[in-house]
Amino acid sequence: MASTAFVPSAAPTHQTYSELQQAYDHFNDALFEGKLPHCLITLQREKRTVGYFSAARFASLEGATTDEIAINPSYFAVVPLVETMQTLVHEMAHLWQQHFGQPGRGRYHNEEWAQKMESIGLMPSSSGQPGGKRTGDMMADYPIAGGRFLAACESLLTSDFSLSWYDRFPADEHVQMGHNLVSAQLEGVTGSSAPIKDNPALAGAVRPGGPGRKPIAEAGTGEGCSTQEPVLNKSNRIKYFCPLCPKLSVWGKPNLNLVCGDCGSKFCDS
């Protein structure tokens, strides 16, 4: 029997990567004076990592090399579009530092990187909230009110730009992260709400936790770390995780109030 699934009118690969390249070019011109070299943008589902930069990661048949900026598509539907653009620009700041500055060792975000981020309108913060540390291994950021990033983002998002394709199966913690971001609290800013809140068809297709779960449109997006009914835990122990620090989790009794010692975020339960 022939499939009755909707067939896209345009190639999803071409759409997705053309849109990401459009955003890269826009922010390069608006925030980096058009000085950043080309790079290869990829989609990677690194667990609890929204994106990363890898210098000279790819080589051509001629022996040329190019940097990689990886973005995690698992977050696209459930965090504000402004936040996805922040992730891209965050990694572009690393690319800038690789070519025009002095990168810190390993994953360390140093003072030069932090100053560059502030100059383009993003405040570095270990917690992703005001008051977090400006430098360190695990760093998030939030938009500076009236800053260059928000102005550049507004001009992009009010043009013909969009992201056309979204991961249908984000993790529950991705949904919770979308509630807690500073960008989700912005007033009157285009792209400050999650795409699932703006598009009913998308909300009906996205199922946090996997194919067997309810769509966002049915489960709702209320407060708390999960949009689903809790699963009975016969051991009376549950797993808590930090929504911002990859691979950081602990087991404990229900209803514990835990805070991450690295970034200051409140732990969620799975």
Side-chain angles (χ1 to χ4, degrees):
M1 178 180 292
S3 173
T4 59
F6 171 76
V7 177
S9 59
T13 300
H14 177 75
Q15 277 186 301
T16 298
Y17 285 96
S18 293
E19 289 160 357
L20 292 173
Q21 186 63 54
Q22 179 186 351
Y24 180 92
D25 292 340
H26 174 81
F27 289 118
N28 189 14
D29 290 338
L31 301 178
F32 298 92
E33 292 74 50
K35 294 181 179 179
L36 299 187
H38 293 302
C39 71
L40 184 56
I41 301 173
T42 65
L43 298 180
Q44 305 284 350
R45 287 191 185 87
E46 291 277 337
K47 190 174 183 181
R48 296 180 192 162
T49 299
V50 294
Y52 63 80
F53 169 77
S54 185
R57 186 58 182 263
F58 287 87
S60 71
L61 292 173
E62 293 79 25
T65 61
T66 192
D67 307 315
E68 176 189 22
I69 287 180
I71 308 291
N72 190 339
S74 298
Y75 295 87
F76 283 7
V78 293
V79 304
L81 190 51
V82 166
E83 182 69 23
T84 300
M85 296 299 100
Q86 276 178 238
T87 299
L88 175 62
V89 173
H90 177 123
E91 305 310 333
M92 291 173 71
H94 283 300
L95 189 149
W96 170 86
Q97 190 175 40
Q98 180 67 32
H99 292 274
F100 303 104
Q102 297 294 324
R105 50 104 181 118
R107 295 183 300 175
Y108 188 76
H109 300 68
N110 62 19
E111 181 62 26
E112 180 187 62
W113 175 85
Q115 290 181 9
K116 184 63 177 178
M117 287 283 284
E118 286 192 55
S119 76
I120 61 177
L122 290 175
M123 178 60 68
S125 170
S126 57
S127 65
Q129 303 287 329
K133 296 179 181 178
R134 293 175 68 256
T135 61
D137 287 320
M138 305 304 300
M139 294 298 299
D141 54 77
Y142 60 88
I144 298 173
R148 294 175 63 200
F149 168 76
L150 282 180
C153 202
E154 181 78 8
S155 66
L156 176 67
L157 299 185
T158 54
S159 66
D160 61 351
F161 177 83
S162 66
L163 291 180
S164 299
W165 292 93
Y166 297 84
D167 189 338
R168 293 183 59 210
F169 308 123
D172 289 332
E173 60 260 36
H174 299 163
V175 180
Q176 179 61 28
M177 180 180 177
H179 294 319
N180 296 335
L181 294 166
V182 171
S183 56
Q185 315 306 321
L186 296 173
E187 296 289 341
V189 174
T190 303
S192 60
S193 62
I196 54 168
K197 293 184 178 180
D198 298 331
N199 189 299
L202 181 63
V206 173
R207 298 170 178 263
R213 307 287 284 275
K214 290 183 179 180
I216 281 281
E218 295 180 22
T221 55
E223 297 302 319
C225 290
S226 175
T227 61
Q228 312 298 329
E229 290 298 318
V231 177
L232 180 63
N233 188 337
K234 295 181 180 179
S235 69
N236 201 35
R237 295 172 68 244
I238 60 176
K239 189 175 183 180
Y240 297 86
F241 60 87
C242 174
L244 293 181
C245 297
K247 302 180 181 179
L248 185 57
S249 61
V250 296
W251 287 88
K253 294 181 179 180
N255 302 316
L256 292 179
N257 185 15
L258 303 177
V259 176
C260 178
D262 290 335
C263 73
S265 297
K266 183 178 179 179
F267 273 64
C268 296
D269 57 69
S270 55

